[in-house]
Amino acid sequence: MKPKEQIENLSAYQPGKSMDEVKRQYNLQQVIKLASNENPFGFSPKVKQALMEGLNELHIYPDGANRKLRAALAEKLEVSEDQLIFGMGSDEIISMIARTFLEKGTKTIMATPTFPQYRSNAVTEGATIIEVPLKEGKHDLETMKSEITKETKVIWVCNPNNPSGTFVSEKELVQFLGDVPEDILVVLDEAYYEYATDPTYPNSVKLLDRYPNLIVLRTFSKIYGLAALRIGYGIAKANIIDWLNRVREPFNNTSLSQIAALAALSDQEFIEECKVKNANGLKQLYQGFEKLGLSYYPSQGNFVLVDVNRPAGPIFQKLLERGIIVRSGVALGFPTGLRITVGNSEQNELVLQALEKVLNESV
Ligand SMILES: *Cc1c(COP(=O)(O)O)cnc(C)c1O
């Protein structure tokens, strides 16, 4: 037996260590995980109540059309219901896009480093991948544009970019979209949209009317705090959604994920609170980094990439031994970086203290 040629060179996603594993391995009482950009404030209390009610119907298939959530989200976003597609996390929508538009002989353009799922799905479909290095930590849209050929089918823009946290402004985005031919799909991955505070961050849904080749991806995994339930969505012109729907699994969202997302959506107060706390947490981390003489990319997400000025592997390991799990930049394309999720203020303080100790030990 042999898999498709391109699968042979693909490696499986490496999940980070779980909190339990780290506790056991280093004999620790307390472990903090700031590695996967999860919401340190959990999720809206309304979700739990709604889920309890949903537990009575586990024997019934979910609504494959996601009707209630679709209606609520369409109203909130001021788009029509046929402009929405739901996935098992936005990860699944990335995979649906690749399945729908990419194959051998096609090309796809993305930044590097960026979110790794664009690449792995494109590889799976046999497409040729054009990776354009970030410029000063940001998407280099000019160079990305210059890489367009007649084989180009999809361009990925991660905004804010994971792992750098940097963003493309509305003005930059509009200029880019204006120059990309309309037969190329532009994927704008806004997994951290709700966290963005910069006034020049794009209002992308409003651009859908003007740019029919745009799809915006968002998720309930990050600020909504529902990562465990796997639900995300895409917003685009109805014809794009229609194509994606043809490759979608019929029941790709569980009933519980639909119920939870609907309840979470109804509690915008919780989201606003998380946004404010995250902005304060970012400030707290920035100040701490500055005290330690470390540079970082200002972030529009709930994570920040800090440069520790030396190989990040050993620093990551020493933090781990102290019970602090972050993401080493080594695997993310920033060999001297750590990507740290913004925690609550106590967690942020603990990370900064541990980082100071570990850096002092390793000079
Ligand atoms: C977390 C993340 C996603 C995917 O999240 P899902 O849990 O699959 O919705 C997509 N894009 C980026 C940039 C992310 O950081």
Side-chain angles (χ1 to χ4, degrees), residues 15-207:
K17 282 196 189 343
S18 76
M19 302 196 6
D20 280 343
E21 272 177 294
V22 173
K23 267 187 203 166
R24 245 182 292 127
Q25 192 170 353
Y26 301 107
N27 198 15
L28 298 162
Q29 301 293 322
Q30 174 105 26
V31 168
I32 300 176
K33 181 165 173 261
L34 297 173
S36 303
N37 304 342
E38 292 145 338
N39 187 341
F41 307 107
F43 50 88
S44 161
K46 291 189 177 179
V47 168
K48 202 161 184 179
Q49 184 57 42
L51 281 176
M52 297 303 275
E53 288 158 26
L55 286 178
N56 294 323
E57 302 221 319
L58 296 186
H59 56 301
I60 309 287
Y61 271 103
D63 173 9
N66 224 328
R67 287 181 188 82
K68 285 186 187 158
L69 180 61
R70 180 182 302 277
L73 202 53
E75 190 184 325
K76 177 165 170 25
L77 297 172
E78 298 176 13
V79 298
S80 66
E81 294 189 12
D82 59 4
Q83 287 186 268
L84 294 172
I85 188 159
F86 295 87
M88 196 178 57
S90 43
D91 275 355
E92 194 194 15
I93 302 182
I94 293 169
S95 137
M96 290 191 257
I97 291 169
R99 281 181 82 186
T100 304
F101 294 98
L102 299 178
E103 62 188 319
K104 225 179 182 104
T106 66
K107 289 186 181 170
T108 184
I109 301 173
M110 62 192 71
T112 184
T114 189
F115 191 57
Q117 291 313 105
Y118 316 144
R119 184 175 201 284
S120 65
N121 280 287
V123 169
T124 302
E125 301 306 330
T128 299
I129 292 145
I130 313 290
E131 291 180 298
V132 176
L134 298 178
K135 199 168 156 188
E136 286 149 28
K138 286 186 60 172
H139 274 70
D140 181 358
L141 294 178
E142 280 306 311
T143 305
M144 289 175 78
K145 217 158 51 187
S146 74
E147 292 287 351
I148 292 174
T149 64
K150 62 181 189 318
E151 291 83 23
T152 307
K153 298 291 172 193
V154 180
I155 304 178
W156 310 84
V157 178
C158 188
N159 203 31
N161 188 46
N162 182 1
S164 58
T166 51
F167 78 107
V168 169
S169 71
E170 171 135 352
K171 193 171 154 217
E172 291 162 330
L173 180 67
V174 163
Q175 198 166 28
F176 178 72
L177 290 170
D179 291 341
V180 174
E182 280 190 9
D183 58 350
I184 299 174
L185 183 68
V186 176
V187 182
L188 194 62
D189 183 346
E190 295 189 334
Y192 303 94
Y193 166 82
E194 300 84 358
Y195 283 115
T197 53
D198 193 291
T200 67
Y201 182 85
N203 185 349
S204 54
V205 173
K206 290 276 169 285
L207 299 175

